[in-house]
Each structure stands twice: as structure tokens, then as C-alpha cells.
Amino acid sequence: MKTSLPSLQNWVEAVASQTHPDKIHWCDGSDAENEQLVGAMCGTGVLSPLNEETYPNCYLHLSDPSDVARVEHLTFICTQNNEDAGQNNNWMDPETAHKKIDALFQGSMRGRTMYIIPYCMGPIDSPYSRLGVEITDSPYVVVNMRMMTRMGMEALRRIETEGTFVKGLHSTGDLDPNKRFIMHFPEELTIKSIGSGYGGNALLGKKCHALRIASYQARTEGWLAEHMLIVGVEEPNGNVQYLACAFPSACGKTNLAMLIPPESHKGWKIWTLGDDIAWLHLDDTGQLRAINPEAGYFGVVPGTNEKTNKNAFDMIQSDTIFTNVATTTNNDPWWEDKNLGAPVKDWQGRDYDPSSGPAAHPNSRFTVSAKQNKSYSELADSADGVPISAIVFGGRRKELAPLVYEAKHWKHGVLVGASVASETTAAAIGDVGVVRRDPMAMKPFCGYNFADYWQHWLSFADKSDRLPKIFHVNWFRQDNKGKFLWPGFGENLRVLRWIMGRCNGSANAVETPIGYLPKKGEIDTDGLDVTDQTMQELLSVNVEQWKIEMDSVGEYLHSYGERLPEDLKNEYDELVAKLKIAS
Ligand code: GTP
Ligand code: SPV
Ligand code: MN
């Protein structure tokens, strides 16, 4: 008996008799346990040590080549009622789903150790935090979960006190893509995942629990679980405002969360609270507060260099697990745009050959403790979280969406969020670069019907009169030669300044049919190689293009049928009417 909680003990025993592991190990989260696991994985080749001098305590993990990203087409929400999952999700009825996946778990841990990982999403003493237990046969999952969550004895104690926890069962199975499923049973607080060892498919605390299951719980309990970074921006006078920003996968959350102020912005500081997930609650005063349920970063490696993201570049110099990167002769990790060294082995461990594609997989990732980030905010451990001044939506759009605009009020902001579209990236299996609707950057992660989710967002308007302002940004506008119009990265602070100015009443805007845009000259471009003409292009509204866009938004929203909230329809109709008048 390893726990005083009978429901946990019984579940562990039931899983063991289903999956037949050789051994059972309860994870305590200690350094000694971690060292033992890392050592064993180096023995079996699951991990290989990188250069001990240049990258101390760093390891390389190479996935099966078929298992390098989230698998949205194999991810299911299994609710009693099909409509509750919505057309935004793949649905299977719970009974069929359990049957199907349980058959695959039958004996799946033979010859392996079964690890029991108690974890806490959020600060261990926060009332906003939630608990879970992941059972897995992957030691790689254990060492990643240790960095990504508060894992081990403390979490187990809290689970035993509270008695409720999310049950996550994971097995790497035989990695056959035809026997791969990621299934969620939100009504049972249960996740079952088999056949993948990769990130969001296997680290069940992350997307499966902290977004899909949590969003479902948040709806009934009156809070929000979102695909958002949380960042504090400190002005030279010491004032700090906190922003929560939702961008789709591989669209710049990690970069913005740990941005380094450019030379021109002396005295400005950035504080990182989180880079991927935010849980948002209204406090007694009606202030929206955010916690980051995670404790580490599982970040995109390619593109990370001293110029684009120096904080990330520095924090992955030690104590980091690299998944699917290339290596140099020196056995350093290597990736595209690292701007240092050259690859000799690619992400599949083959001799590097430029004709067989990038050396590092485009969705290669680092896993690192958040505390290694120089801009880490101690408030990431605060039980109460931080007050949010602004919510910022964004996407990857070559054209149309301006650099920044502000929604007129909360409900209009919900329409702005619901209308987010973005070019697909390598974070999920499938085509890259195709524009798709990704409302609130939650398309792959909302655990219930989007129409009900928008209604839930809208309902906040009646709960508080001091909600954050809502904005939309786009760092990815291109000219007709494919060159980015906006320098991005650290220079994005200039846009955040305008957003903060709007929140404290010091920045000016002009009204347009789609919302408020910065008045000419309001975005400081001092010292930037961006012409006035480019700024004008970045900050204008092409009414004819927007009319086409809104036709497509309308078609999308109305595809949700009767559940589509009346208030959202009204916001939509109002915007369409404004565009009509403007043309
Ligand atoms: P997930 O972890 O998948 O949820 O993604 P993320 O949103 O944290 O993405 P991340 O910050 O890792 O960004 C991924 C890609 O966007 C990298 O290739 C970056 O180089 C690129 N990127 C980030 N910020 C900017 C920017 O301001 N401008 C441009 N042009 N590219 C950017
Ligand atoms: C994403 O795809 O949005 C990620 C990586 O943050 S994963 O953990 O695989 O979901
Ligand atoms: Mn993400």
C-alpha cells in the first residue's frame, strides 16, 4: 500500500492487472529518483548525454520518426452526448471509447515498469490548483513531468487530503500509428492515451489535463482554462502590468513570455509567469487573476538564438532535455537558426544530409524548469496568481490582421477571439501553412462544444465590471516577397507599450469598423528600420478584405447552429454592418 487513498490504490491495482507491468514504481519526485531514471535511460538509449562541458546535464531524446507532434485526428472527447463535445472535437461515445482503448492497454506494460506520477497543476498551496495522477510506462514521461509540473510526495499528500484527482493512463504501446489514441472522458475526469511518447500526447498534465479536462471543469465552475502565456511588463517607473496572451501552437508565446527589451528600452523589464497555459479566475473584487498550472517549459527549439530569444537560448545551456534536435561533431545540440556550429547527425540520428530536410525536426522541443529562465517571476509560485490587465489574442496571418487592435468591449473581444485564424504549424501532424480557424488558440484544446465555450466567455460580462481589455496582435504580416513587415521578437515590446497605455488610459486610438487601432505615431518606432509607409500598412484596415474575412467568420460561426450564442451573433452582425457603412 503506497497511498492512504483507497480510490487511488484501487485504480493503480486495476491498471496493473490490465497492463501487466514487471514492476510498479511510485514516483517521489526526488533528485535521487531522477538521477536513477536518467542513468537507466542512458543505458537503454532512450536518452543520450550531450557534451558534458558545453551542455552540462543535458540529454538528447529521439522520438520514433512517426511520433513527433500532437495527433489531433486521433484525439477524442468522449462525452455521453455528442453535441457536448461539439464539431470542434472528434467524438466517441464513452463506452465504445473505453472498450477500444482498453483492448490496446491489455498487457501493454509487459516487460516494463509502471510509474505512478502524482502531480499538482499550479502552486502547491494555491486554491486554484488541481491535482492529477499519471500512470505511464515511459521513464521519459516521468522525467519530463518532473520539470513540467509539481510532481511527487507533496502532490500525493494533497491528493490524499482532497480525495479528487484527474486519472491519466498512458502507455507508449508499440508506437504503431494505427493503434494510437488520445482519449478524454471529462465527465469521469479521466484521460487514456496510448501509442505515442510525444509531448502533448504523453505528458498528460499539459494539454490533456490543464486544457481539455480543465476547460470542461472551468465551465461548470465559472473560470477559464486557456492556451495563454502570462507575462509581467515593468515600466521604468516600476509599474507592472500583467498580460495573458493566446496564440496558436508555435506562434510566439514562449518568445513573448520571456522577451528581452531592446536597447532602446532602457529600464523596462519583463517577468515570465508562464509560456503556454493560464488558468483565470475572478477574485472577490471582480479582478481577473491568472496562475500558470505548469512549472516548466516544453518549448519549440528551432529559431531560438541569442537575437530572437536570448533568455530561452541561455536557459537551455544546462539541465535540459532536447527532443528531436540534431547534433554537432562536438556533441552539442543543433537546430535551424541556432547560428552556431553545424549539424553532423540529424534528428533521426542519421548522418546529416541537407537534401533530406531540416537537421532538427521543425517541432523539436526543449524541456526545462521554469526557474532556469532569467526573467522568471517569483509570483509564478504565488497562490493568488497575478491580476490581468489585458487579454491578447493573435495568430499567424500573412495579410489582413493589423499589427494590433483593441476590441471595443468584452463581448466584442469574445468575437475577436472566436474569429482568430492562423496558419498551421509543425506542432501538430498535418499540413503546415494552411490558414484555419483557431478560436482563442483553443481549436485543438477546448474540451467541449465551442458554442458553449463562447457563451461561457460572454457570461463574464455579467460577472464583473472591471474585466481586462481585449486586444488582437499579428507579428507575422509579410510583404509580397514574403519578408516580415514587423521586426518582431524584442521589438514587440513597442506594441505591448501601446496595449498597456490603453489599459491605463495614456495611449490614443482611432476607431475603425473592427475596433480601436493606434493613432498615427502612437507606436514608437524610434531607431527601428521600419518606414512610415510600412507602419501605415501594418496599422490599416482594408475594408474590402475584411468583408471577405467576415463572410468566412460568419459561415464558421453559424456552422455551430442553434447553440451559437445570441450575443455573439449580435456582435457579428454589428461588425458586418459597420464594414458595410465604411465601404
Ligand atoms: P507552443 O509551445 O507550440 O504552444 O508554441 P509557442 O506559441 O510558445 O511558440 P514559440 O514562442 O516557440 O514560437 C515559435 C515560432 O515563432 C518560432 O519559430 C519563432 O522564431 C517564431 N516567432 C516568435 N515570435 C516571433 C515574432 O515576433 N516574429 C516572427 N516573425 N516570428 C516569431
Ligand atoms: C503545442 O502544441 O501547443 C505545445 C506543445 O505547446 S505540446 O505539448 O505538444 O502540446
Ligand atoms: Mn502550446
Side-chain angles (χ1 to χ4, degrees):
M1 180 88 169
K2 285 291 172 43
T3 172
S4 59
L5 188 66
S7 59
L8 175 54
Q9 185 66 31
N10 293 342
W11 176 52
V12 167
E13 282 168 17
V15 168
S17 63
Q18 177 186 24
T19 59
H20 300 295
D22 274 15
K23 279 192 230 147
I24 297 181
H25 177 89
W26 288 74
C27 300
D28 62 14
S30 64
D31 290 346
E33 175 183 80
N34 190 58
E35 275 162 33
Q36 192 271 326
L37 287 170
V38 168
M41 280 188 278
C42 288
T44 55
V46 173
L47 292 183
S48 14
L50 289 160
N51 188 313
E52 202 26 67
E53 262 157 45
T54 46
Y55 281 84
N57 203 27
C58 289
Y59 298 88
L60 173 67
H61 172 75
L62 302 182
S63 307
D64 185 277
S66 79
D67 187 31
V68 292
R70 284 181 294 99
V71 282
E72 296 179 3
H73 60 297
L74 303 174
T75 299
F76 289 81
I77 300 292
C78 310
T79 45
Q80 292 294 337
N81 180 347
N82 186 344
E83 274 291 296
D84 290 340
Q87 65 182 69
N88 45 305
N89 284 301
N90 301 310
W91 177 83
M92 205 182 285
D93 88 83
E95 206 182 318
T96 313
H98 280 301
K99 227 188 215 161
K100 197 174 182 90
I101 202 160
D102 284 349
L104 299 173
F105 275 111
Q106 203 57 51
S108 70
M109 297 190 188
R110 264 202 188 94
R112 302 178 187 173
T113 299
M114 176 172 112
Y115 300 94
I116 297 141
I117 312 172
Y119 63 85
C120 176
M121 300 310 289
I124 197 87
D125 58 349
S126 171
Y128 301 140
S129 297
R130 292 303 163 96
L131 302 150
V133 176
E134 175 166 357
I135 299 182
T136 179
D137 55 11
S138 160
Y140 168 82
V141 165
V142 178
V143 297
N144 275 272
M145 283 289 283
R146 182 168 180 267
M147 288 200 267
M148 296 304 298
T149 72
R150 280 96 172 162
M151 179 272 253
M153 287 311 286
E154 269 193 296
L156 181 59
R157 293 289 95 88
R158 189 169 160 179
I159 290 166
E160 288 169 342
T161 310
E162 292 194 11
T164 30
F165 60 94
V166 169
K167 293 186 176 116
L169 173 56
H170 168 256
S171 170
T172 41
D174 57 10
L175 294 173
D176 175 354
N178 296 314
K179 291 192 257 164
R180 184 175 290 164
F181 291 102
I182 324 293
M183 288 176 170
H184 305 72
F185 305 87
E187 291 147 340
E188 303 165 37
L189 299 188
T190 294
I191 305 156
K192 293 184 179 177
S193 163
I194 195 160
S196 167
Y198 190 81
N201 303 329
L203 311 176
L204 302 186
K206 200 172 175 53
K207 296 309 187 349
C208 301
H209 178 167
L211 287 179
R212 298 196 190 94
I213 298 285
S215 63
Y216 182 96
Q217 290 181 295
R219 180 193 170 206
T220 49
E221 296 169 6
W223 52 284
L224 295 164
E226 299 297 328
H227 193 204
M228 290 175 174
L229 69 93
I230 312 165
V231 68
V233 186
E234 182 174 331
E235 297 176 53
N237 66 13
N239 287 345
V240 187
Q241 288 188 48
Y242 296 93
L243 278 50
C245 312
F247 310 153
S249 301
C251 289
K253 289 184 299 301
T254 303
N255 279 265
L256 192 67
M258 51 191 74
L259 171 157
I260 295 194
E263 279 296 311
S264 56
H265 283 60
K266 291 251 177 322
W268 287 78
K269 285 197 194 113
I270 291 287
W271 299 103
T272 316
L273 281 295
D275 83 326
D276 199 45
I277 300 178
W279 286 356
L280 305 165
H281 290 79
L282 287 175
D283 70 12
D284 300 342
T285 70
Q287 170 67 55
L288 196 69
R289 308 190 70 87
I291 64 159
N292 172 13
E294 301 191 282
Y297 310 124
F298 184 66
V300 175
V301 183
T304 307
N305 63 45
E306 295 221 280
K307 280 222 175 77
T308 55
N309 191 347
K310 185 170 185 324
N311 277 329
F313 190 80
D314 290 348
M315 80 182 171
I316 59 176
Q317 297 295 315
S318 72
D319 304 281
T320 301
I321 297 174
F322 290 89
T323 299
N324 298 336
V325 298
T327 45
T328 67
T329 37
N330 195 27
N331 202 27
D332 284 349
W334 191 92
W335 52 86
E336 274 62 26
D337 294 324
K338 183 184 186 187
N339 298 343
L340 209 66
V344 290
K345 295 275 184 202
D346 73 4
W347 66 274
Q348 300 188 55
R350 307 173 300 193
D351 289 340
Y352 175 57
D353 171 1
S355 69
S356 43
H361 190 276
N363 190 38
S364 52
R365 298 265 168 172
F366 54 76
T367 319
V368 67
S369 160
K371 292 195 173 148
Q372 282 186 214
N373 171 11
K374 280 196 207 110
S375 62
Y376 174 77
S377 166
E378 296 290 337
L379 291 176
D381 266 319
S382 153
D384 299 330
V386 292
I388 296 297
S389 310
I391 286 176
V392 183
F393 294 115
R396 207 180 256 272
R397 296 296 294 267
K398 286 188 185 67
E399 40 193 34
L400 188 80
L403 181 60
V404 60
Y405 66 99
E406 178 192 335
K408 293 183 181 167
H409 47 77
W410 181 265
K411 288 185 180 174
H412 175 223
V414 176
L415 174 66
V416 170
S419 310
V420 168
S422 192
E423 292 151 26
T424 50
T425 65
I429 299 286
D431 294 338
V432 170
V434 186
V435 176
R436 73 160 179 185
R437 298 266 149 228
D438 194 348
M440 281 82 171
M442 284 285 278
K443 167 69 189 68
F445 309 120
C446 182
Y448 62 104
N449 192 318
F450 256 153
D452 299 337
Y453 170 79
W454 297 323
Q455 179 57 53
H456 182 47
W457 264 83
L458 290 163
S459 74
F460 279 72
D462 304 324
K463 291 187 200 154
S464 167
D465 52 11
R466 45 183 306 208
L467 291 170
K469 283 181 178 287
I470 298 181
F471 298 82
H472 186 283
V473 298
N474 178 18
W475 316 137
F476 299 94
R477 280 283 287 271
Q478 293 178 12
D479 65 15
N480 51 19
K481 295 194 190 86
K483 185 175 165 282
F484 289 113
L485 292 175
W486 177 251
F489 302 102
E491 305 297 351
N492 292 336
L493 179 57
R494 297 169 189 261
V495 176
L496 301 188
R497 272 175 66 189
W498 183 76
I499 290 175
M500 291 165 67
R502 291 299 292 167
C503 293
N504 66 22
S506 66
N508 295 306
V510 287
E511 189 169 349
T512 78
I514 65 164
Y516 301 115
L517 263 76
K519 210 167 162 183
K520 191 162 188 261
E522 282 282 304
I523 302 271
D524 173 12
T525 53
D526 231 26
L528 274 193
D529 188 19
V530 179
T531 64
D532 285 353
Q533 198 192 339
T534 302
M535 280 316 284
Q536 193 172 343
E537 200 175 335
L538 284 166
L539 292 173
S540 59
V541 176
N542 182 326
V543 171
E544 291 315 310
Q545 271 186 18
W546 270 96
K547 282 167 91 175
I548 298 169
E549 174 75 0
M550 290 320 286
D551 279 348
S552 129
V553 169
E555 210 173 293
Y556 175 71
L557 294 180
H558 281 285
S559 71
Y560 283 82
E562 284 190 352
R563 286 204 190 200
L564 185 68
E566 215 45 48
D567 277 348
L568 197 61
K569 274 190 235 167
N570 294 340
E571 288 302 328
Y572 174 81
D573 291 344
E574 205 172 302
L575 178 43
V576 169
K578 289 213 168 92
L579 285 167
K580 207 165 172 189
I581 296 168
S583 68

